[in-house]
Amino acid sequence: MPYSYLVAARYRVFSVRVAAVSALTPSFVRVTLTGDALADFSAVGLDQRIKVVLPIPGHGFTDLPDGDDWYGAWRALPDAERNPLRTYTVRSFRPDARELDIDFVAHGDTGPASRWVSSCRVGDELRIVGPAVPSSPAELPSGAAEFAPGSATRILLAGDETAAPAICAILEALDVATVGHVFIEVPTDADRLPVTAPAGVEVRWIARNGASHGVRMTDQVCAWASEAVSVPAGVAGASRAAVELADVDVDEQVLWDVPTVAEERPVYAWIAGEAGCVKELRRHLVRGVGLDRRQVAFMGYWRHGKAEH
């Protein structure tokens, strides 16, 4: 996922420690972080992304650079001295208490983040990278949150377990009059998370239960969109003719296509998760159904077989 926001001086390294660890489901673990440094942390959106900086076994954060040019200095370090970075969503932030929640997906000894969360304890140190409180509203950073429905009268949210924390944060902040549909794919039936949504928003939890990643969610979203999203024939035809969807190679390129201008559209869609699945949904919603790409945010959070670098 995009890294450009990391190099902005207004993003900084925050020193925090683990205040609580809660197993939410077999696959989700909530870690509450705290620290005086969070007094300067700035929340910028409902699906806000931050970087979690993980400790190096035996060294912790000894070699982690600080200051405005920390990112350049971090990149210049030898591999063995460079703390791993991983992207996560802020599930909730309580500025008065200086507490920040991150919901991790625990999937065994398959990566540095999953290994860390499987053994972390209250009091453990951690570092996160996020925006600092600006000196003026005009300096508030952008590029770390994408959900922007504008005046849309209906929303569509879809994603796998990596997008579930962001989707839940969005759901809990929606206006009570919001109408929409939500599709969240998780590993098992036991991984459904408690979340509050407006009465007019249908939330479907889709358990893989051993099925291939993304298949069931893709099928359900495509079936729903083909039946429920009504685009006038002329508009749909013009949209299909005008749109040029680059055939993104998700094994080599980042799939990240979000509206840059707020448009008055009847439907707003936010799709995130495994890049191959997101690419398939992008193709169906824009080329198949005829949704204007300017009303859909598509974000490939990760890719099968590819570690985040």
Side-chain angles (χ1 to χ4, degrees), residues 43-62:
V44 299
L46 298 176
D47 54 341
Q48 179 174 355
R49 303 180 306 280
I50 59 173
K51 292 293 178 184
V52 171
V53 187
L54 297 157
I56 296 175
H59 293 275
F61 302 98
T62 303

Side-chain angles (χ1 to χ4, degrees), residues 232-257:
V235 174
S239 176
R240 293 188 185 98
V243 70
E244 291 186 7
L245 284 181
D247 188 18
V248 177
D249 181 353
V250 294
D251 288 322
E252 300 296 335
Q253 301 169 273
V254 174
L255 173 54
W256 205 270
D257 187 8

Side-chain angles (χ1 to χ4, degrees), residues 113-300:
S114 187
R115 283 195 294 272
W116 178 83
V117 78
S118 68
S119 61
C120 71
R121 300 291 182 268
V122 171
D124 286 356
E125 289 189 20
L126 194 67
R127 303 290 186 269
I128 63 172
V129 177
V133 174
S135 57
S136 70
E139 297 177 3
L140 190 66
S142 60
E146 309 296 353
F147 182 73
S151 59
T153 56
R154 177 187 291 186
I155 65 165
L156 166 65
L157 304 175
D160 59 20
E161 59 266 36
T162 64
I167 293 175
C168 288
I170 290 169
L171 282 173
E172 293 175 351
L174 291 176
D175 185 274
V176 294
T178 302
V179 174
H181 286 75
V182 178
F183 301 83
I184 310 173
E185 181 178 290
V186 290
T188 70
D189 288 303
D191 289 313
R192 299 167 186 256
L193 294 165
V195 65
T196 302
V201 177
E202 178 189 349
V203 180
R204 297 186 194 177
W205 292 91
I206 305 166
R208 285 194 297 277
N209 290 329
S212 297
H213 196 109
V215 172
R216 291 178 175 172
M217 182 182 71
T218 300
D219 288 347
Q220 290 199 31
V221 173
C222 290
W224 171 84
S226 297
E227 184 176 316
V229 178
S230 177
V231 180
V235 174
S239 176
R240 293 188 185 98
V243 70
E244 291 186 7
L245 284 181
D247 188 18
V248 177
D249 181 353
V250 294
D251 288 322
E252 300 296 335
Q253 301 169 273
V254 174
L255 173 54
W256 205 270
D257 187 8
V258 299
T260 57
V261 179
E263 300 276 354
E264 290 192 7
R265 304 287 182 183
V267 178
Y268 173 81
W270 182 104
I271 314 290
E274 198 278 323
C277 175
V278 172
K279 178 180 177 179
E280 180 65 26
L281 288 172
R282 177 176 181 251
R283 180 186 298 113
H284 181 78
L285 292 175
V286 176
R287 287 182 175 168
V289 176
L291 283 179
D292 191 314
R293 65 185 296 180
R294 293 171 295 180
Q295 66 192 97
V296 191
F298 297 102
M299 294 152 288

Side-chain angles (χ1 to χ4, degrees), residues 7-92:
V7 298
R10 53 200 167 190
Y11 281 82
R12 50 166 279 201
V13 178
F14 292 83
S15 178
V16 294
R17 65 183 183 278
V18 176
V21 181
S22 307
L24 303 178
T25 74
S27 299
F28 288 101
V29 177
R30 176 166 297 166
V31 177
T32 299
L33 303 171
T34 189
D36 291 340
L38 291 178
D40 296 325
F41 182 85
S42 179
V44 299
L46 298 176
D47 54 341
Q48 179 174 355
R49 303 180 306 280
I50 59 173
K51 292 293 178 184
V52 171
V53 187
L54 297 157
I56 296 175
H59 293 275
F61 302 98
T62 303
D63 299 314
L64 181 66
D66 204 346
D68 289 347
D69 191 34
W70 75 270
Y71 185 59
W74 173 83
R75 292 189 64 181
L77 289 171
D79 289 348
E81 299 174 16
R82 192 183 301 122
N83 291 79
L85 302 182
R86 293 295 184 268
T87 307
Y88 281 89
T89 301
V90 175
R91 179 60 178 85
S92 61

